[in-house]
Each structure stands twice: as structure tokens, then as C-alpha cells.
Amino acid sequence: MPVERTGALLREGADLLAASGSETPRLDAELLLGHAVGVGRTVVLAHPEAPVGADAARRYRADVARRSTGEPVAYLRGLKEFYGLAFEADPRALIPRPETERLVELAEAEVMRRLGTLERSGDAPPLRVVDVGTGSGAIAVALAVALRGRRALEAVDILATDISVDALGLARENAVGHAVADRIRFVEADLLPDGGASPFDVILANLPYVRTGVIATLPRSTSFEPRLALDGGPDGLAVIERLLALLPTALAADGVALLEIGADQGEAIEDLVALRLPG
Ligand SMILES: C[S@@+](CC[C@H](N)C(=O)[O-])C[C@H]1O[C@@H](n2cnc3c(N)ncnc32)[C@H](O)[C@@H]1O
């Protein structure tokens, strides 16, 4: 049996994936071959002449075939990089998106600003932070890891909620994987526990905001992700609007809510905020 080479397998996979409609065929092939061989993508790229064992080549071709039906690369690899960390990814939750890293950046800055500028005595209560609709736990876990790196994690109490028990299972696994499971409370809730009766200093949320009618037009890979993570109702705002309605009690007087929204939803959300949080 002839020896299979990395470079040839990459070309074969990328050609198949391009024909199947993938927008990133070469990248997909590199990630999947790295996964099959058990090395990073850069190693695959750097060694086109490297031989690939029969088992790895078989696994790679099987994954390319699955990818060509639209299955996301992150689910095939079982992981996705987010905020410089590797998160477990599987169909229990949405795959963390790069744009959500901005929300974590803002959250990290906001928490550090509050810890640094608010008058806090040694026995001040911890800052209360909640990640609403935590999914894979990406926001809560990435924030906790970042705060640990800044020696600020002890000063913060992080809650992460989701209405999906499956997603919470994955989120807990990610928290364990990053050694912050003892610092985040995961709770099954419709938005917030107790209907948002107790206030938080910082509310973070990347809730579903896709219009129901648009879901069928999204890239095929999205159909492998939980609909509950995407469907924001007829105008995309149904879930977010319910969260906004809770803010008068759920947000501390000087609290801040940071929400990821659709690119075209800014004005509509401003109107809703004016309605729900006058003044
Ligand atoms: C767009 S995904 C975001 C997941 C994760 N926060 C992220 O950024 O990758 C939205 C998440 O909100 C959850 N969700 C939807 N409706 C909810 C509700 N009423 N209460 C709590 N979570 C909800 C979904 O299960 C899903 O995990």
C-alpha cells in the first residue's frame, strides 16, 4: 500500500470540501487532518511530506465526508478556540463565536475597573456577575480564567444560567477543564433565577437574536447547532426583550448590562431600553 502524504491528503480534502460548498475548505482540511493525526494545524502545514498512518487517513476522510454534509469542524474536532482557550464543543451548545470575544474583553475591563475604582474594603462583598444563556460556558469561563490571571477572581461571584440542561452540562465540563468550576455557579433558569429578583453588578448575555425566518437561510453548519441557541422569535428580540424587562430589579443601581446583539438591532434595542429603563 503506497504511503499517504500530508500535502496530498490536504489537497484531496480541500478539493472535496470546496465542491461541497465549504467557505473555508483549506482551513477545514488542515484542522481535520491535524485532529486525525493528533497534532496542531501548524504542524500539518509545516510538513507536507510527512507520512500519515492508515488509521489517521481513514479518520480524516470520514471527517471530511461529514464536514461535506455541513457538520461544523468544531463538533468534529470536539473543540473550539475562544479567548485564547480551548473549549469543548459538541451539539449540546452553540459553538462560541469570535465576535463574542469582544463581550468578554469588555466584561473583563468592566470588572477590573469596578474592582480598582470602587471603594472596596477588605471585607467588601464580592462583585456579582452573571452570564445569562451561558451555552458552552464560553463567556463565564473565559472571564473567570482572565480574572484569575489578574488575581481578581476571588473578588467576584460568577453565576452562569441557561434554560438548556444539556448546555449547562457542557458548560460545567468546560469550567472543570479550565479549573474554574469552584468559582462559577451553574443554574438552570429561564434567564435569571427568582425572576431576576436579586440584583447583579454586571450582567452579561449573548442570548438568541436571530429572526426565526432567517434561520433557514443561515449556513448549513448552523443547522447542527441547537435551535434554542439561535431563535430570537419573529423579530429576533423576543428573548432579549424579556431580559431587558427584568433589568429594573436584576441590575444593581450602578450596575451595567453588556449584551451581544445582531448588527442591525442597535436602534430597536435602544428603543426597548428607553421603554424598559426610562431615565
Ligand atoms: C446564542 S447562544 C450563546 C451561548 C454562549 N453564551 C456563547 O456566547 O457562546 C444563547 C444561549 O442562550 C440560551 N437560552 C435561550 N433562551 C434562554 C432563556 N430563556 N433563559 C436562559 N437561557 C436561554 C440557549 O440555550 C443558548 O445556550
Side-chain angles (χ1 to χ4, degrees):
M1 192 143 163
V3 175
E4 305 242 43
R5 303 273 170 199
T6 297
L9 281 168
L10 283 179
R11 278 191 298 280
E12 176 192 313
D15 287 350
L16 263 165
L17 292 170
S20 78
S22 163
E23 286 171 6
T24 50
R26 177 76 194 187
L27 174 64
D28 293 357
E30 291 163 3
L31 289 167
L32 292 177
L33 186 54
H35 174 59
V37 174
V39 297
R41 177 181 157 243
T42 46
V43 176
V44 165
L45 275 175
H47 301 286
E49 289 307 315
V52 176
D55 284 350
R58 205 173 304 116
R59 172 141 38 121
Y60 167 69
R61 288 194 170 102
D63 281 350
V64 166
R66 287 171 65 179
R67 174 68 190 132
S68 67
T69 70
E71 200 164 338
V73 171
Y75 286 165
L76 292 168
R77 294 170 74 215
L79 74 91
K80 174 75 181 177
E81 291 80 10
F82 179 81
Y83 216 62
L85 303 169
F87 279 82
E88 277 182 46
D90 67 36
R92 284 178 289 174
L94 189 94
I95 300 161
R97 303 295 203 266
E99 55 269 27
T100 306
E101 294 180 345
R102 180 73 186 130
L103 182 59
V104 182
E105 257 172 33
L106 292 170
E108 184 183 344
E110 181 61 25
V111 168
M112 292 312 295
R113 187 184 71 75
R114 282 166 178 266
L115 292 178
T117 61
L118 297 184
E119 283 203 4
R120 299 183 69 79
S121 61
D123 54 3
L127 214 60
R128 290 149 303 176
V129 178
V130 61
D131 172 20
V132 187
T134 194
S136 63
I139 296 171
V141 171
L143 178 64
V145 171
L147 293 177
R148 184 177 57 199
R150 290 166 163 258
R151 300 183 187 287
L153 189 53
E154 298 297 321
V156 178
D157 182 19
I158 304 179
L159 177 73
T161 73
D162 208 290
I163 204 165
S164 158
V165 175
D166 281 352
L168 285 169
L170 180 60
R172 278 195 195 92
E173 287 168 28
N174 275 315
V176 169
H178 290 290
V180 289
D182 58 336
R183 302 299 312 163
I184 304 175
R185 268 183 312 126
F186 292 97
V187 172
E188 182 190 351
D190 181 3
L191 300 174
L192 289 165
D194 310 322
S198 40
F200 291 89
D201 300 299
V202 180
I203 295 184
L204 309 170
N206 176 20
L207 286 164
Y209 56 74
V210 183
R211 290 181 184 82
T212 306
V214 169
I215 289 180
T217 70
L218 294 177
R220 211 171 12 153
S221 55
T222 318
S223 67
F224 289 80
E225 297 183 276
R227 193 177 171 105
L228 191 57
L230 299 165
D231 194 345
D235 62 359
L237 298 173
V239 189
I240 291 177
E241 183 170 9
R242 289 181 50 235
L243 178 63
L244 294 177
L246 297 180
L247 293 188
T249 55
L251 204 53
D254 63 345
V256 66
L258 300 170
L259 272 57
E260 179 172 327
I261 58 172
D264 60 350
Q265 292 174 337
E267 260 184 49
I269 300 260
E270 275 177 25
D271 291 347
L272 287 174
V273 170
L275 195 71
R276 297 292 189 182
L277 298 164

